[in-house]
Amino acid sequence: MNTLGKTITCRAAIAWAKNSPLLIEEVQVEPPKSGEVRIKMISSGICGSDDHVLKGELVVNFPLIPGHEGAGIVESVGDGVCSVKPGDKVLILIIPQCRECDACLHPKGNFCDKQDVLPCSGVMLDGTSRFSCRGQKIYHSFRTSSFTEYTVVPEIATVKIDDAAPMDKVCLISCGFPTGYGAAVNSAKVTPGSTCVVFGLGGVGSAIVMGCKASGACRIIGVDINEEKFPRARALGVTDCLNPNKLEKPVQEVVMEMTGVGVDFAFEAIGLIDTMVAAWNSCNNSYGVCLIAGLAPSDAQLSLEAPKILSGKTLKGVCLGDYKTRDCIPQIVTDYLQNKINIDPLVTYQLPFNQLHEALELFHSGKAIRCVLLF
């Protein structure tokens, strides 16, 4: 069926309000406007940031279609689009790369000014939505919205990938894998023989572990309250597992005792203030580096003991591994195809889209590193 220039009716998951169950509904997806791309989704991972959205922990507009970690095939493009064409395999990008703003032009920047995460407006760059359901406007999530059979994104928020990429797994490379792996290898630049601690052993935390191991860390301490994650974490490279709920002392004190001087690199991959502070306090006071990869609620405030900053350790935020997304993400896909990296251990479940609620249950239970929805 020729859909070019026409509105497409398809299935999508809609959150009608904060903390409401997702409902699979028939939605209308308008054709892409100038500078936009309409994509037939093939797969989407379920990420912790999506959970923050559904719980209302981020400033968003409802009703919306969540999801952002997606892979698909270009169905059609709007005027002026030249970097992708119909039939291309693509990833959608929660952090775009416009290649014009200060962040994109600076060699160390990647948090593009045209992102729609902090805050999330829920509309396209022209201020309108491409989704509707029963005549009502439905908002986008991060200008990505991957929990739908078709989506529309800005050209700057999608990138062509290798034609050989397996679309049932490669969606992880649009967010979770580079966020974690890049935090270790690209942002922190973990050194051989170093000690690391990773707070949170979900999808992002597991990718951090992989990055630490690939960088030659000699000791990787994993921290999580769900011990079902420990066997998989050890298989990925964790040397010591800690459950804070079963410790007689604060976890940072235990990490300090285990290492003697604190870790060289601490990573927080949950988005909680308590674990951010614990990661900071687990670092070596003189040269330790603490990286925050977890997305905290919109109104959260981080409070640290000011005198301890003077000693020399570093606190750094990291988004999507500090990668410039359109420049770097395709190469990560190629590295995966060439067996230089392996994302397969992170994909613990694959379920059809109509089993969305079972997938969310697996996510909340902690039984999945990443659960991938297949369309």
Side-chain angles (χ1 to χ4, degrees), residues 102-111 322-324:
D102 173 70
C104 287
L105 294 175
H106 193 283
K108 293 185 177 180
N110 81 323
F111 200 71
D322 280 346
Y323 292 118
K324 291 184 181 293

Side-chain angles (χ1 to χ4, degrees), residues 161-166 170 332-341:
I161 58 173
D162 195 299
D163 288 338
V170 77
I332 298 175
V333 174
T334 300
D335 287 346
Y336 168 55
L337 294 175
Q338 295 176 349
N339 297 316
K340 295 178 181 178
I341 56 174

Side-chain angles (χ1 to χ4, degrees), residues 205-361:
S206 297
I208 292 172
V209 169
M210 296 171 72
C212 292
K213 183 179 181 182
S215 299
C218 69
R219 190 174 195 181
I220 305 170
I221 303 168
V223 181
D224 204 291
I225 60 173
N226 187 340
E227 295 186 12
E228 289 188 25
K229 297 178 181 178
F230 290 172
R232 287 195 296 259
R234 287 193 176 96
L236 293 175
V238 167
T239 56
D240 307 87
C241 293
L242 298 176
N243 180 348
N245 291 342
K246 293 188 176 180
L247 300 176
E248 296 180 356
K249 300 177 181 179
V251 64
Q252 57 265 38
E253 292 184 20
V254 174
V255 172
M256 278 290 183
E257 290 176 0
M258 292 171 67
T259 58
V261 294
V263 297
D264 300 296
F265 301 96
F267 300 89
E268 200 279 349
I270 304 169
L272 298 176
I273 298 303
D274 287 349
T275 44
M276 292 179 184
V277 173
W280 168 255
N281 288 328
S282 298
C283 286
N284 181 283
N285 282 328
S286 181
Y287 49 79
V289 180
C290 177
L291 290 98
I292 307 299
L295 181 59
S298 297
D299 59 352
Q301 298 289 319
L302 180 61
S303 179
L304 303 173
E305 295 175 77
K308 290 189 176 181
I309 298 174
L310 190 67
S311 62
K313 60 182 179 179
T314 302
L315 178 66
K316 185 184 187 313
V318 54
C319 180
L320 255 163
D322 280 346
Y323 292 118
K324 291 184 181 293
T325 49
R326 293 167 73 200
D327 290 347
C328 300
I329 296 299
Q331 184 58 51
I332 298 175
V333 174
T334 300
D335 287 346
Y336 168 55
L337 294 175
Q338 295 176 349
N339 297 316
K340 295 178 181 178
I341 56 174
N342 184 18
I343 66 170
D344 293 356
L346 302 180
V347 183
T348 43
Y349 293 92
Q350 293 175 307
L351 294 175
F353 181 51
N354 60 11
Q355 293 183 28
L356 170 64
H357 293 100
E358 290 88 337
L360 289 170
E361 287 175 11

